Amino acid sequence: MSVDVSGVTRWYGNVVAVNDVTMTLPPGVTGLLGPNGAGKTTLLHMIAGFLPPSRGTITAAGQRTWRNPDLYKVLGLVTEKEAVHGFLTGEQFVVASARLHRLPEPERAAARALDLVELADPRKRKLSTYSKGMRQRARLAAALVHDPQVLLLDEPFNGLDPRQRMQMMTLLHDLGNRGRTVLFSSHILEEVEQVSGTVQVMVAGRLAASGDYRTIRRLMTNRPHVFAIDSSDNRRLAAVLIGDPSVRGVSLGEDGLEVSASDFGTFTRVLPGIVRREGLRLRRLRPADESLESVFSYLVGAK
Amino acid sequence: MNATIAMITLRGLFGRRRFLLLFVLPVLLVALTAFAASSDVPAIEWSGTLLDALGLGAVVPLMALLVGIGVLGNEIDDGTIAHILAKPLARGEIIQAKLLVAVGASALVVVPAMFLVGELAEGPSLAFGLAVGSLLAVIVYSAIFVAISIVSSRPMIIALGYVVLWEGFLGNFVGGTRMLSVRHYALSLADSVSGSDLLTKQVSLPVSLVLAGVITVGATLLAVDRLRSYQLAGETG
């Protein structure tokens, strides 16, 4: 396997950032999905050799990663932090990267990489004049100038406009199809859906789910949902709802009901009929737990 | 030497307007010396203050500090160091390039200034002595400040504290610290080379040279080792 993470834990003082994570990444594109603070960056930095695991082992392309600069012959990293040497032009920046990799023809390699990220035109401009999206792509060009076997990207779609986003997705796809191992992190479901078939979901430092995107998507839509409901007679509605098989629990509060449904689809189909039959009027109905965090924490429980 | 790293480092250093500040102190020192030399006061009356305390004790280390932290600390501070570290380069190669740029840039400013000061105060032999002495100081200081850049997350404060308290203050009052004071090594070398009456060394030349060598090598090795273990901090989890 191209990247092997085995029993890896990382803590900072008392805080566990990554908790006993094991994963193997084959060639192709894998999305590392999780809410902010889940430990994605920490894991990426460990795979990239910029952080030692507190416990466990990591190899990338068969090499250990910590304190091993030779790793970067086969690995490229695009960090989330968008710092660049602003006084260099895009071209100088990528050529410098090629030279530091001791590539035989640095100018040609740089030109190819700049082409790949569609920065050939503004290559003579200083990086300090680039937009956020352009800087992101310049850093990507610098990271793949040596055509690495393993490419790691931390939130690569941040700050890109929709067109650039599509283009970045196509690029990652192509790299995956050419047998490169690409791992990118994201906290946005749709990004991962469009780029990669394989997903690793991290929540609170743990690997919550991994595998095919569709499987995970199904887990996410079929999960129990909580709704906040207000009607003309909440007590009566509660009494009726608790009798319905699609409802797991009802609690009566000051501003209405909190209903937890066992199945999103069934409950939303049944509810209008019940309300009409009882002669009630619905004042408010909204899902109470649609935040990404709640989806993720459901996955942790489902594991 | 790795020319690419040296180029990026140099441009990073000179690209900042802050770099112009580097010339203020040496020019001030030369101007003060010229003023003192043109007065009727004999040189022995002011040489201790201007040549030793202000020159070797303040201007030289402060220049080396600004440059030494500029070559590595700034890149660590703004995160651009990650681009250089994510390359298959021996960490010693990176430190070597940084150090050479630091020594070169500091020496470019400091050595001619100290030469002029010596020339104005006494003549060519003192000028040469101070030039050689300040070059030694620049080398040792650069190694120390590059190391501080990577060991500490607040290199400016630590380095300033070291220059002001250790080199400037303790060295004058606590005898034992002279043995471990770069300023005294420079003074010793300048005195031995020039034979001038205006300088009085307090640490012998062989001890100065050996200790200067040990500190330079030690600080460089420390910097290489710390760079090998450099950790990237994440902005989010």
Side-chain angles (χ1 to χ4, degrees), chain A residues 39-41 67 83 85 87 102, chain B residues 75 78 83 93 225 229 237:
Chain A
K40 304 188 297 289
T41 298
R67 280 173 78 97
H85 298 90
F87 49 84
R102 301 212 163 81
Chain B
E75 274 184 337
D78 65 18
H83 294 297
E93 192 180 340
D225 184 70
S229 298

Side-chain angles (χ1 to χ4, degrees), chain A residues 40-42 44-45 50 77-85 93 127 131-140 142-143 152-159 185, chain B residues 72-84 86 153 230-237:
Chain A
K40 304 188 297 289
T41 298
T42 303
L44 283 173
H45 284 176
F50 279 111
L77 169 70
V78 182
T79 56
E80 186 184 12
K81 204 169 180 178
E82 56 162 331
V84 285
H85 298 90
F93 179 62
L127 291 172
S131 70
K132 190 177 160 85
M134 289 164 80
R135 271 204 288 274
Q136 183 87 315
R137 285 180 289 148
R139 297 191 306 123
L140 177 61
L152 307 172
L153 306 101
D154 198 358
E155 297 281 355
F157 303 107
N158 267 2
S185 72
Chain B
L72 184 61
N74 291 345
E75 274 184 337
I76 291 176
D77 204 35
D78 65 18
T80 49
I81 191 72
H83 294 297
I84 287 172
S153 55
Y230 181 75
Q231 301 189 3
L232 269 185
E235 285 178 357
T236 61

Side-chain angles (χ1 to χ4, degrees), chain B residues 68-137:
Chain B
I69 289 178
V71 295
L72 184 61
N74 291 345
E75 274 184 337
I76 291 176
D77 204 35
D78 65 18
T80 49
I81 191 72
H83 294 297
I84 287 172
L85 290 178
K87 302 291 184 295
L89 301 168
R91 286 3 189 175
E93 192 180 340
I94 298 175
I95 293 293
Q96 184 207 39
K98 298 275 179 194
L99 212 47
L100 285 174
V101 169
V103 170
S106 297
L108 197 73
V109 181
V110 158
V111 172
M114 291 306 284
F115 184 90
L116 273 177
V117 166
E119 180 68 40
L120 288 166
E122 193 180 70
S125 76
L126 181 60
F128 185 64
L130 282 176
V132 176
S134 58
L135 180 62
L136 175 75

Side-chain angles (χ1 to χ4, degrees), chain A residues 109-132:
Chain A
R112 202 189 52 226
L114 284 165
D115 256 345
L116 212 56
V117 299
E118 292 185 13
L119 278 182
D121 284 340
R123 69 184 185 280
K124 301 281 184 201
R125 274 170 49 192
K126 286 190 175 185
L127 291 172
S128 53
T129 69
Y130 278 21
S131 70
K132 190 177 160 85

Side-chain angles (χ1 to χ4, degrees), chain A residues 33 68 206 231 239 275:
Chain A
L33 181 66
N68 178 22
R206 308 183 80 98
S231 69
V275 170

Side-chain angles (χ1 to χ4, degrees), chain A residues 18-41:
Chain A
V18 169
N19 192 349
D20 196 20
V21 166
T22 298
M23 60 169 78
T24 52
L25 305 179
V29 184
T30 303
L32 183 60
L33 181 66
N36 289 333
K40 304 188 297 289
T41 298

Side-chain angles (χ1 to χ4, degrees), chain B residues 61-62 65 69 144-145 148-149 152 154-165:
Chain B
L62 286 177
L65 183 155
I69 289 178
I144 292 175
F145 294 134
I148 288 179
S149 294
S152 164
R154 296 185 189 287
M156 221 24 130
I157 292 169
I158 304 285
L160 267 177
Y162 157 72
V163 169
V164 173
L165 294 179

